[in-house]
């Protein structure tokens, strides 16, 4: 019972991408477009957060180190890809659910690319947790460098 509609749109002769004389001929800088440099500058202002690479995380998992892997992505993202054994608490729910975590545990936090997990690490540090680390590059870095079979989004 699904239906689709097609709309015909007139080409904008002044469009910077699709006009006869486009001004934009290359891909945009995605990180700049999404404000990631600004986010990094804010993180540097606050001071460097404790972080580990995906290779460090892989090695810790392989050794069987005792730590909590905290995934702070939203539920719809968990349907795309997930690291087995992770505790799932979306960043927006973390303040209300922080009691589910123990300050005695080592906690490694990840998200899609590292921004939300950095916020979670800062929140946990501010809440009295001392053994927390941000996974640099998040699950996308894991998919690129550790497990290419994992979907990226």
């Amino acid at each position: 019972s699904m239906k689709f509609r097609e709309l015909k749109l007139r080409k904008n002769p002044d469009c910077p991408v699709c006009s006869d004389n486009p001004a934009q001929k290359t891909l945009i800088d995605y990180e700049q477009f999404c404000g990631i440099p600004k986010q990094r500058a804010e993180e540097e202002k606050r001071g460097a957060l404790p972080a580990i690479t995906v290779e460090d995380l892989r090695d810790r998992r392989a050794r069987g180190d005792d730590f909590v892997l905290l995934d702070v992505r939203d539920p719809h993202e968990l349907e795309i890809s997930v690291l087995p054994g992770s505790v799932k608490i979306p960043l927006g729910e973390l303040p209300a659910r922080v009691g589910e975590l123990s300050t005695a545990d080592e906690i490694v936090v990840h998200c899609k690319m590292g921004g939300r997990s950095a916020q979670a690490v800062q929140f946990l540090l501010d809440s009295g947790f001392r053994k927390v680390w941000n996974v640099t590059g998040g699950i996308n870095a894991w998919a690129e460098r550790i497990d290419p079979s994992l979907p990226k989004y």
Side-chain angles (χ1 to χ4, degrees):
S1 66
M2 234 169 111
K3 295 182 181 182
F4 292 92
R5 288 179 54 191
E6 284 188 22
L7 302 173
K8 290 195 179 230
L9 302 174
R10 279 183 271 134
K11 192 174 187 177
N12 179 351
D14 299 323
C15 177
V17 176
C18 64
S19 66
D20 291 334
N21 297 311
Q24 181 73 38
K25 297 179 183 178
T26 60
L27 294 175
I28 62 170
D29 182 340
Y30 181 78
E31 290 188 355
Q32 182 74 29
F33 177 76
C34 292
I36 292 174
K38 179 182 175 191
Q39 177 183 341
R40 286 191 183 131
E42 290 171 1
E43 288 172 3
E44 287 173 7
K45 248 193 300 184
R46 286 194 311 252
L49 292 174
I52 65 170
T53 65
V54 291
E55 290 82 7
D56 295 333
L57 175 58
R58 175 199 58 208
D59 295 346
R60 291 191 72 182
R61 292 180 80 169
R63 285 192 306 264
D65 290 0
D66 188 26
F67 64 94
V68 173
L69 180 59
L70 176 61
D71 189 333
V72 295
R73 295 176 300 144
D74 292 327
H76 69 276
E77 295 174 284
L78 300 173
E79 295 174 12
I80 299 169
S81 59
V82 68
L83 293 178
S86 60
V87 174
K88 296 144 190 81
I89 303 177
L91 180 61
E93 296 176 17
L94 188 56
R97 296 179 57 189
V98 71
E100 296 176 27
L101 302 170
S102 170
T103 56
D105 290 334
E106 291 188 35
I107 302 174
V108 176
V109 188
H110 82 89
C111 63
K112 178 182 178 185
M113 295 173 60
R116 285 175 287 174
S117 54
Q119 292 175 23
V121 166
Q122 186 63 57
F123 171 78
L124 292 170
L125 288 170
D126 293 344
S127 299
F129 290 79
R130 292 292 163 244
K131 299 182 283 184
V132 292
W133 292 269
N134 182 33
V135 177
T136 306
I139 199 165
N140 275 358
W142 181 274
E144 287 172 8
R145 303 195 315 247
I146 307 298
D147 183 2
S149 70
L150 202 63
K152 290 189 304 185
Y153 62 101

